[in-house]
Amino acid sequence: MIAQPKASHFVNGDWMEDTDGAVIEVIYPATGAVIATLHEATPAVIDAALAGAKAAQGAWAAKKPVERGRILRRAADLIRERGDALARLETLDTGKPLQETLVADWPSGADALEYFGGLAPTVTGETIPLGGDFAYTLREALGVCVGIGAWNYPSQIACWKSAPALAMGNAMVFKPSEVTPLGALELAAIFIEAGLPAGLFNVVQGRGAVGASLVTDARVDKVSLTGSVPTGRKVYAAAAEGIRNVTMELGGKSPLIIFNDADLDSAVGAAMMANFYSAGQVCSNGTRVFVQKGIKAAFLAQLKLRAEKIVLGDPMDMATQMGPLVSAVQVDKVMSYVNGAVTQGAQLVTGGGRDGMFVQPTVFSDVTDDMVLACEEVFGPVMAVLDFVDEDEVVTRANDTDFGLAAGVFTADLARAHRVIGALQAGTCWINTYNLTPVEMPFGGSKLSGVGRENGKAALEYYSQIKSVYVGMGPVDAPY
Ligand code: NDP
């Protein structure tokens, strides 16, 4: 299978190649086949992308918001029309099953373009009466934004970042993860087809160093990163040099708390969705599943039965429910956590094995707070089940982490659900469900999990700035 794009980069409205850049081989994780060969962006490519973005941004910001919105909505329509082909490309890029990529990845990206396209013309400032004089505010674009993506939801991330950025009149230079570089290029071509002027959405390929050189360029006004906490620290610090705005969507170790009175079928289903979807490679996953002692046995029994029925296999087969992990590096990392959990005394309920690039859906019970499995982000299909006795105890333990991305609660007692959510330190929470991230709802983390929000009306604030204008209505009263 070959998925070779026309060129490595998309700059200033067109494909661009510079074979001087280091080679990036794109591998289909299910077979190990090289499906495309790209080149990292050279300084010349990076410069062209930033120059193009800078040149195009002003005229774009000056357009009527309704015109900007119309182009974004047209891009959403094109994505939906090509849903099948785009999902196949996403599957080749990531190894995720077609069953998922058809409904989750690009469709969620199209939702973002439609939503922010519709929202663009609704953004207004305020008028502030000052007794004769008055002030008003304008919400203006920031300028050139850099987007840097992780490999787990490459096309969705490109859309989630570009949609609010473009809606507010910014330009973007986007660098996908070098592990999954293909989807963003398609998005760039779709934008041009939808009528986006050249230069407003550029894609440059490369490893961390390319991202780093984008972040420190004087032409850049904002950086939005989806990635790990260590990378977030570096990118945030580099952006701070130029006092640039940032959005940081980083990792998590999120608690999913299941009380005795929870609906068992739903709680088990949600715990599985919170750990096995995308083979567990989801930042907001509920990877610490706290189960109250009264339902522990029933929960684990049903979980084991259902987990063992998950169908692993060819991601292009619609019957396949779980594909390979994204890369051999990731498989090794996940297996080291599995082996470490066994060594530390966690009980293996099911799974624990690998077959090439595939890792079995794995459940550990009797995990304790101090085990590595309960502290570090695994990013694979590995669920840690911890026991708890009462509400105060579980809230304290759930919060005892430096991360704060997400949290979930399952209980039939709604007062308790709201009380517990109120006490949990996390940016994105769910009651009696898990991991649903509709574009209408702000998404992001607290503590080390991030700064800023994607999605929802809130995202517009992170891609714009307020200009305040004081209007003097009478003579100036000067003491000189
Ligand atoms: P990384 O942090 O390794 O990389 C993220 C991106 O940053 C990649 O494009 C990477 O390039 C780039 N990068 C690396 N170093 C630098 C640097 N110094 N300056 C600028 N850019 C740099 O994350 P992964 O790709 O491994 O993705 C997994 C992580 O992402 C997990 O920790 C997960 O929790 C997090 N994540 C968070 C989400 C959220 O919304 N909160 C959503 C999805 C994932 P390259 O890969 O080419 O080296």
Side-chain angles (χ1 to χ4, degrees):
M1 250 168 305
I2 291 294
Q4 183 69 36
K6 283 187 193 151
S8 299
H9 319 287
F10 200 100
V11 171
N12 235 336
D14 210 348
W15 299 90
M16 181 179 266
E17 191 57 87
D18 183 348
T19 50
D20 283 350
V23 167
I24 297 173
E25 285 193 332
V26 189
I27 292 166
Y28 179 36
T31 63
V34 176
I35 54 167
T37 304
L38 307 181
H39 294 272
E40 283 200 66
T42 55
V45 171
I46 294 169
D47 183 61
L50 288 168
K54 185 90 188 158
Q57 189 265 325
W60 176 244
K63 269 190 191 300
K64 283 187 193 164
V66 74
E67 290 176 29
R68 293 200 298 266
R70 198 175 298 136
I71 291 170
L72 298 190
R73 286 185 288 111
R74 226 180 270 143
D77 291 344
L78 289 171
I79 289 171
R80 293 212 176 88
E81 278 167 26
R82 293 168 202 175
D84 193 70
L86 290 171
R88 282 173 194 280
L89 184 68
E90 192 78 350
T91 289
L92 287 174
D93 218 4
T94 61
K96 293 198 269 187
L98 204 51
Q99 195 188 89
E100 289 187 16
T101 54
L102 274 170
V103 298
D105 298 75
W106 280 102
S108 158
D111 283 355
L113 290 161
E114 186 175 13
Y115 176 79
F116 287 109
L119 216 49
T122 71
V123 177
T124 55
E126 56 180 343
T127 311
I128 304 154
L130 296 169
D133 290 357
F134 66 98
Y136 64 92
T137 61
L138 298 165
R139 201 161 256 289
E140 297 188 334
L142 294 170
V144 175
C145 303
V146 162
I148 302 177
W151 44 255
N152 61 339
Y153 277 87
S155 300
Q156 183 199 71
I157 290 170
C159 292
W160 280 19
K161 294 191 189 307
S162 59
L166 293 172
M168 292 309 295
N170 301 283
M172 177 165 272
V173 177
F174 187 80
K175 189 204 82 69
S177 164
E178 104 274 359
V179 180
T180 54
L182 301 179
L185 289 170
E186 285 301 310
L187 178 63
I190 285 170
F191 271 138
I192 293 297
E193 212 180 320
L196 189 72
L200 291 168
F201 184 73
N202 306 273
V203 176
V204 298
Q205 307 292 351
R207 301 182 170 83
V210 171
S213 68
L214 288 170
V215 170
T216 47
D217 192 282
R219 289 165 285 193
V220 172
D221 301 289
K222 176 188 170 112
V223 179
S224 175
L225 170 80
T226 297
S228 60
V229 171
T231 303
R233 276 207 181 91
K234 283 189 232 164
V235 171
Y236 201 170
E241 275 296 310
I243 319 290
R244 299 190 173 90
N245 290 267
V246 296
T247 297
M248 294 280 141
E249 294 293 352
L250 309 177
K253 193 71 203 174
S254 302
L256 168 55
I257 302 171
I258 297 168
F259 285 94
N260 285 337
D261 62 354
D263 178 275
L264 186 64
D265 293 357
S266 289
V268 171
M272 292 174 74
M273 289 297 285
N275 283 274
F276 300 145
Y277 205 70
S278 286
Q281 302 164 115
V282 183
C283 53
S284 51
N285 270 357
T287 49
R288 289 183 295 147
V289 181
F290 289 95
V291 179
Q292 205 166 14
K293 282 210 161 145
I295 56 159
K296 178 184 169 186
F299 181 88
L300 288 174
Q302 187 184 134
L303 177 60
K304 179 173 157 63
L305 269 179
R306 289 172 66 176
E308 287 172 358
K309 286 193 190 138
I310 292 175
V311 179
L312 276 71
D314 174 4
M316 293 292 179
D317 182 342
M318 278 302 283
T320 295
Q321 296 171 316
M322 192 189 284
L325 300 196
V326 75
S327 65
V329 171
Q330 194 61 19
V331 174
D332 289 343
K333 187 180 149 201
V334 170
M335 288 311 295
S336 78
Y337 281 112
V338 169
N339 297 331
V342 173
T343 309
Q344 285 198 304
Q347 292 298 311
L348 184 64
V349 175
T350 185
R354 73 177 278 189
D355 181 4
M357 295 285 291
F358 292 77
V359 174
Q360 286 177 328
T362 298
V363 177
F364 284 101
S365 68
D366 301 285
V367 175
T368 53
D369 298 348
D370 55 336
M371 289 182 187
V372 175
L373 188 63
C375 301
E376 295 183 14
E377 192 176 41
V378 176
F379 238 57
V382 183
M383 189 192 306
V385 178
L386 303 91
D387 311 341
F388 75 93
V389 176
D390 68 42
E391 184 182 315
D392 288 347
E393 168 214 338
V394 78
V395 167
T396 304
R397 290 171 58 200
N399 284 336
D400 188 16
T401 168
D402 290 335
F403 294 112
L405 184 53
V409 177
F410 268 78
T411 175
D413 176 347
L414 279 183
R416 173 162 61 194
H418 294 296
R419 189 168 62 235
V420 169
I421 288 294
L424 288 174
Q425 298 160 351
T428 310
C429 297
W430 293 277
I431 293 174
N432 291 336
T433 187
Y434 201 85
N435 252 358
L436 299 177
T437 55
V439 67
E440 297 89 340
M441 181 173 111
F443 177 84
S446 59
K447 295 159 83 178
L448 289 192
S449 293
V451 174
R453 293 292 177 267
E454 299 198 299
N455 289 347
K457 287 183 204 145
L460 296 177
E461 291 167 27
Y462 295 97
Y463 283 99
S464 60
Q465 57 194 333
I466 289 175
K467 177 181 277 174
S468 299
V469 184
Y470 188 110
V471 182
M473 295 294 285
V476 172
D477 181 17
Y480 317 107

